[in-house]
Amino acid sequence: MGDVLAAGVPSAAGGLLIEGDLQAHGARPAAAPRRRADAERNRAQILAAAERLFSESDPRTVTMDRIAKAAGVGRATLYRSFPDPSSVAVALLDEHERLLQGQLVYGPPPLGPGAPAGERLAAFYLAMLNLLEKHLPLALGAETGPERFRTGAYGFWRVHVRTLLVAHGTEDPDALVDTVLAPLAPELFAFQRHELGLPVERIGVSLAAFARGLLQVGARP
């Protein structure tokens, strides 16, 4: 076999193809881009179908079978990309959360750097309430219960709020940071909005006042 490759093999055009030419020209390597394109198309179909399901029904009723059927893909195809419905919701929510994360790091104050800690926390609360108002079904599907604390987004919010507490001089930021984030739990927001009927603006005013009181200039919690 080595002699054949070294000498070359006949090509369809009548010339000789050496081993390197076969690797560049052969059909098998070209299959990988096609597989990637198929995977990207399947992923797009899955995410689009899942977003419809999460927005049209109780997130707790969205199953992998329902997602696969709505997306028009097989269960094996779905499970190759996502292990469970929560991971699908996380992928959908990720894009919206990454936009906010960019604003926290690079945006203008008070959401971005340059404002007092209390004002930045108030702005963060308002931005998160806006995100929850727009994407609550996804947040409920992605961040319900203990799983909320294991998402990458929660880790980012935790670092951000802890940074504000440290900047303010809070005595024990690690003990306080999750309490400060607790009002943003999707289940709590859903209860306030849909069980109690509180307008999002009213919730925002309350949380902004809480943030400014907690991190008041000249005072330490």
Side-chain angles (χ1 to χ4, degrees):
M1 179 64 71
D3 293 336
V4 173
L5 290 175
V9 295
S11 73
L16 291 179
L17 292 175
I18 63 173
E19 184 177 13
D21 295 322
L22 288 171
Q23 291 174 345
H25 179 73
R28 277 183 291 179
R34 283 201 297 271
R35 284 196 296 271
R36 286 195 294 271
D38 289 344
E40 288 300 318
R41 184 174 61 252
N42 288 336
R43 179 182 173 86
Q45 290 176 211
I46 290 166
L47 292 178
E51 187 152 28
R52 289 194 303 272
L53 290 174
F54 279 116
S55 64
E56 294 170 357
S57 57
D58 185 335
R60 293 171 296 183
T61 68
V62 177
T63 64
M64 295 295 271
D65 284 339
R66 291 186 64 192
I67 294 173
K69 183 176 180 180
V73 301
R75 284 170 51 87
T77 298
L78 176 58
Y79 277 103
R80 274 197 294 270
S81 298
F82 303 101
D84 50 44
S86 177
S87 64
V88 182
V90 168
L92 286 165
L93 194 59
D94 179 67
E95 183 65 27
H96 307 297
E97 291 178 327
R98 282 193 288 118
L99 290 173
L100 176 54
Q101 290 166 6
Q103 292 175 322
L104 293 173
V105 177
Y106 303 110
L111 192 57
E119 292 302 317
R120 292 198 69 193
L121 181 58
F124 171 65
Y125 275 146
L126 295 178
M128 283 295 295
L129 291 178
N130 182 58
L131 188 149
L132 287 170
E133 179 73 2
K134 291 180 178 179
H135 306 291
L136 182 59
L138 292 180
L140 288 170
E143 301 180 357
T144 301
E147 291 304 314
R148 174 176 184 244
F149 305 109
R150 301 186 181 99
T151 64
Y154 186 84
F156 188 98
W157 311 142
R158 198 176 191 280
V159 169
H160 175 65
V161 171
R162 186 185 184 281
T163 300
L164 298 181
L165 295 175
V166 170
H168 182 66
T170 302
E171 184 175 344
D172 192 352
D174 291 314
L176 186 60
V177 60
D178 297 296
T179 301
V180 177
L181 284 166
L184 299 174
E187 305 100 312
L188 175 60
F189 183 78
F191 174 73
Q192 290 177 312
R193 290 288 287 119
H194 303 300
E195 297 284 337
L196 301 180
L198 296 177
V200 67
E201 294 80 11
R202 184 175 170 188
I203 300 171
V205 168
S206 178
L207 284 182
F210 170 73
R212 295 185 180 107
L214 179 67
L215 302 183
Q216 184 178 359
V217 175
R220 293 187 180 184

